Amino acid sequence: HVTEASLLHALRLRYKRDDIYTSAGPILMAVNPYKYIVGANGESLYSEKKMMLYRNSTDDLPPHLFQVADKAFTALLQSVRTTTDGEVEN
């Protein structure tokens, strides 16, 4: 079960590891998002390479803002249907 105490504990642990993003179902939580964090290879958390990694990704990657953005964009594209005469319908 998810409780306030369990969420706070998970956030505390992730904060200490510099894993600023965590998710609880469809919700992405960020702790200390203004801290500059680099990966083990010295790459920025917000590099273009990282962005492309999360593009059309599955849920097997660690939580990240790019994952949420990609899911939102994909849902937007799927919600728009173009008819044969070029009109857009929702």
Side-chain angles (χ1 to χ4, degrees):
H1 294 104
V2 177
T3 64
E4 182 179 352
S6 66
L7 282 176
L8 290 174
H9 178 70
L11 290 172
R12 208 174 291 115
L13 291 177
R14 294 183 68 78
Y15 176 82
K16 288 179 182 179
R17 292 190 316 234
D18 281 338
D19 291 334
I20 65 168
Y21 292 115
T22 191
S23 60
I27 300 168
L28 179 72
M29 295 177 278
V31 178
N32 199 18
Y34 299 106
K35 181 178 180 182
Y36 187 75
I37 297 176
V38 294
N41 60 357
E43 182 181 20
S44 168
L45 189 62
Y46 304 105
S47 68
E48 186 173 350
K49 184 178 176 183
K50 183 71 79 171
M51 179 180 65
M52 296 309 289
L53 178 68
Y54 281 89
R55 189 170 184 190
N56 298 318
S57 69
T58 59
D59 288 334
D60 59 343
L61 293 171
H64 195 285
L65 183 62
F66 291 149
Q67 188 176 41
V68 174
D70 185 66
K71 285 182 180 183
F73 184 68
T74 300
L76 175 68
L77 293 178
Q78 290 175 350
S79 70
V80 176
R81 304 281 186 253
T82 305
T83 63
T84 56
D85 59 0
E87 293 180 31
V88 176
E89 54 180 57
N90 293 332

